[in-house]
Amino acid sequence: MKLSNILPLAALSTAFVLPEQQLFSELAVESHGSADTAFDKLPSKDQVLDKIEHSVEKLSDEFGKVVKCSKHALDSAIDYAAETSNQVSNKVQKAGFEASSWMESTSHLGLNNHHDKPNQTIYQLISTSKYTTKLAAAINEYPDLVVLLNGTIANYTFFAPVDSAFEKIPDKAPKPSKEFLKKVLLYHLSPEFYPAAKVLVTHTVPTALTVDTVGIGPQRVSTNIGLKGLTVNFYARIIAIDILGTNGVIHGIDSLLVPPPNAVDIIQFLPGEFSTLELGLTKTGLLPVLNDTSVHIGGTVFAPSNFAFQKLGPKINGFLFSSYGQKYLKALLEYHVVVNQTLYSDAYYAVDSVDNKDVPKGTFHIDLPTLLEDKSLNVNVARYGRLIVIRINGFSQVTIEDGIAADGVIQVVSDVLIPPKRIDRMEQHYHGEDLTVEDLKERLEPLVENVEL
């Protein structure tokens, strides 16, 4: 197997980390029982923010002192990070963080910058650090990248994998092609300036890697705050922050960032969460259609987890996955797929647009046409600092945002999305009420006439 195939799978094995199925129900359904639950005992949002703010400010103060007197900012930053990572990790854990619990707002958090005025470029910092010798050797294979990282036409951000990150590559893996390796390096670079304070309030960051399959705009990486601390693409932990150069900023990371596979490949690689969805896509013939990037440019898959299908009940699932219910299943799954429009939690790409755009802070509404003919998803995004809430049709919520894919993005939803039904010329959306097989058939019957199996 080629290294270009091994690396994405190795990354994915720890990347798209999803909460336990029981956690989905705890988050999606308001509790009417006793208040003495584990969630009630967690610290409040304000307490979490206070603890994190104190930890970040203290780390920044100490970090600044170290860097100010250092001969090499990147070396000192990584030295200091190694000494303090366990201490900071414990503070974050005590503050009650987990993969699905975001801070409501960190926009007021600032890292006090004690750095002297930088006198080295990003390339010079990387090439002279004892911790990034392997990264420097890789960059040196591409003179144009050396020129770019030495240039001052922009303020860049570079997520720099330390030498130990390269040791995670399997020993017997063949050497990657130069073309693939250059894509990997470009995937670590953003043409925009993202110091740590900005990363904290950002869900996705544009990179210098452009691909034809994602639409109008560059490939992106996601940033996440969880028990592992601040990570990129769910698995690469940021271990050093805000190493400033004359042309941007470096953040040290402990794993290589690998350009992601297609959305369908991600779904297939995670059977513990998406085996029901994969089975449905296979039975209905949609799997190869979605994987064919020649017929769409970018897209958004609102992916129901196995638990979301379980919430429909055994009777509806039995009907949908029977030979008689197959056309209904296909229509239902088509309602979860948007092509040619890629909606991240904080950015939006559309093929018919001349440019991509950020999802604005505050509230944002968009109707996304699906593969199901004449049916769109009503999507509302509420964005305040790092807290982003995405609701579909006013009911189903995105529980895990921004599963970055080569051909778009996966947004994991708390419920299977049910198309609306018409009553007196008005569309009535499904809001979680009890649903029988007959109810489902009534909603889908007008939509399956043109469905081909």
Side-chain angles (χ1 to χ4, degrees):
M1 182 180 289
K2 294 181 179 179
L3 181 60
S4 59
N5 294 328
I6 292 173
L7 283 178
L9 297 182
L12 276 169
S13 65
T14 55
F16 204 45
V17 180
L18 304 172
E20 294 294 329
Q21 292 179 346
Q22 181 60 33
L23 181 57
F24 271 145
S25 62
E26 295 286 356
L27 294 174
V29 182
E30 182 179 354
S31 173
H32 297 287
S34 169
D36 298 327
T37 65
F39 286 96
D40 294 318
K41 296 177 182 179
L42 288 176
S44 69
K45 171 200 67 182
D46 292 333
Q47 290 174 318
V48 168
L49 276 174
D50 289 342
K51 289 185 179 181
I52 294 300
E53 180 175 8
H54 176 72
S55 297
V56 170
E57 288 179 347
K58 184 176 179 181
L59 175 60
S60 180
D61 288 340
E62 296 299 323
F63 174 80
K65 294 174 185 176
V66 172
V67 172
K68 187 172 182 179
C69 63
S70 75
K71 293 182 179 179
H72 193 285
L74 183 53
D75 283 356
S76 294
I78 295 172
D79 283 337
Y80 183 71
E83 294 173 5
T84 59
S85 60
N86 290 335
Q87 187 181 86
V88 174
S89 177
N90 289 337
K91 289 181 179 180
V92 172
Q93 290 184 39
K94 289 178 181 179
F97 270 92
E98 56 189 3
S100 57
S101 301
W102 309 120
M103 292 185 291
E104 178 174 359
S105 174
T106 54
S107 58
H108 64 287
L109 296 184
L111 293 176
N112 299 320
N113 198 330
H114 300 278
H115 300 200
D116 288 333
K117 186 176 180 179
N119 58 9
Q120 291 182 298
T121 65
I122 287 177
Y123 173 75
Q124 290 169 334
L125 287 168
I126 291 172
S127 63
T128 56
S129 169
K130 63 183 179 182
Y131 291 108
T132 54
T133 60
K134 295 180 180 179
L135 174 61
I139 293 173
N140 286 337
E141 293 288 322
Y142 306 93
D144 57 330
L145 284 185
V146 174
V147 172
L148 183 69
L149 295 177
N150 265 326
T152 56
I153 60 172
N155 267 329
Y156 301 106
T157 301
F158 200 97
F159 295 99
V162 295
D163 286 346
S164 59
F166 288 82
E167 295 171 6
K168 298 178 182 181
I169 299 173
D171 292 336
K172 296 182 180 180
K175 185 178 180 179
S177 68
K178 289 198 68 172
E179 180 184 11
F180 175 73
L181 182 55
K182 186 171 185 179
K183 288 181 179 179
V184 171
L185 293 173
L186 290 173
Y187 195 50
H188 290 76
L189 175 68
S190 175
E192 300 180 21
F193 187 63
Y194 280 83
K198 187 176 179 181
V199 173
L200 281 170
V201 295
T202 300
H203 274 228
T204 67
V205 175
T207 73
L209 177 63
T210 58
V211 291
D212 296 334
T213 54
V214 81
I216 305 298
Q219 184 58 273
R220 304 179 81 88
V221 295
S222 67
T223 66
N224 325 98
I225 299 177
L227 292 177
K228 292 176 66 176
L230 184 60
T231 60
V232 183
N233 281 2
F234 294 95
Y235 64 92
R237 190 163 60 93
I238 294 180
I239 57 175
I241 59 172
D242 284 353
I243 301 100
L244 292 178
T246 56
N247 60 344
V249 63
I250 297 172
H251 305 302
I253 56 176
D254 68 354
S255 299
L256 282 165
L257 300 176
V258 182
N262 289 345
V264 165
D265 295 329
I266 295 175
I267 290 169
Q268 289 180 307
F269 194 71
L270 296 170
E273 292 300 331
F274 299 124
S275 59
T276 310
L277 175 60
E278 181 192 356
L279 177 62
L281 292 173
T282 302
K283 285 179 68 73
T284 57
L286 287 173
L287 199 67
V289 173
L290 299 187
N291 215 21
D292 184 0
T293 54
S294 68
V295 296
H296 68 91
I297 302 176
T300 309
V301 178
F302 292 94
S305 66
N306 292 338
F307 183 61
F309 276 99
Q310 289 175 18
K311 289 163 71 173
L312 290 177
K315 291 184 178 179
I316 289 180
N317 277 294
F319 165 72
L320 288 173
F321 287 89
S322 69
S323 57
Y324 179 72
Q326 196 167 325
K327 62 180 180 179
Y328 295 91
L329 176 62
K330 184 173 184 179
L332 191 63
L333 294 179
E334 286 178 336
Y335 191 57
H336 291 72
V337 180
V338 176
V339 296
N340 300 327
Q341 298 187 57
T342 306
L343 180 66
Y344 304 95
S345 58
D346 53 7
Y348 170 65
Y349 298 170
V351 171
D352 57 0
S353 174
V354 295
D355 198 5
N356 63 80
K357 61 182 179 181
D358 292 335
V359 172
K361 295 178 181 179
T363 58
F364 174 76
H365 172 82
I366 189 169
D367 291 321
L368 296 176
T370 70
L371 282 181
L372 187 59
E373 188 174 359
D374 297 328
K375 289 297 177 183
S376 296
L377 296 173
N378 182 308
V379 181
N380 288 289
V381 182
R383 183 180 176 209
Y384 303 96
R386 187 163 185 93
L387 176 66
I388 294 180
V389 178
I390 305 174
R391 290 193 180 276
I392 301 97
N393 294 343
F395 167 65
S396 184
Q397 185 169 324
V398 171
T399 53
I400 302 294
E401 302 106 348
D402 303 321
I404 305 294
D407 57 348
V409 67
I410 298 174
Q411 306 288 5
V412 183
V413 288
S414 59
D415 299 88
V416 175
L417 306 178
I418 308 295
K421 64 180 179 181
R422 282 195 170 275
I423 299 180
D424 297 330
R425 297 183 181 180
M426 297 289 291
E427 284 194 338
Q428 184 182 78
H429 285 288
Y430 173 74
H431 289 119
E433 59 271 18
D434 289 340
L435 197 66
T436 66
V437 172
E438 294 305 316
D439 291 333
L440 183 65
K441 288 174 64 177
E442 181 185 352
R443 288 175 177 271
L444 294 175
E445 195 70 52
L447 308 174
V448 300
E449 296 176 356
N450 298 323
V451 170
E452 296 182 1
L453 295 175

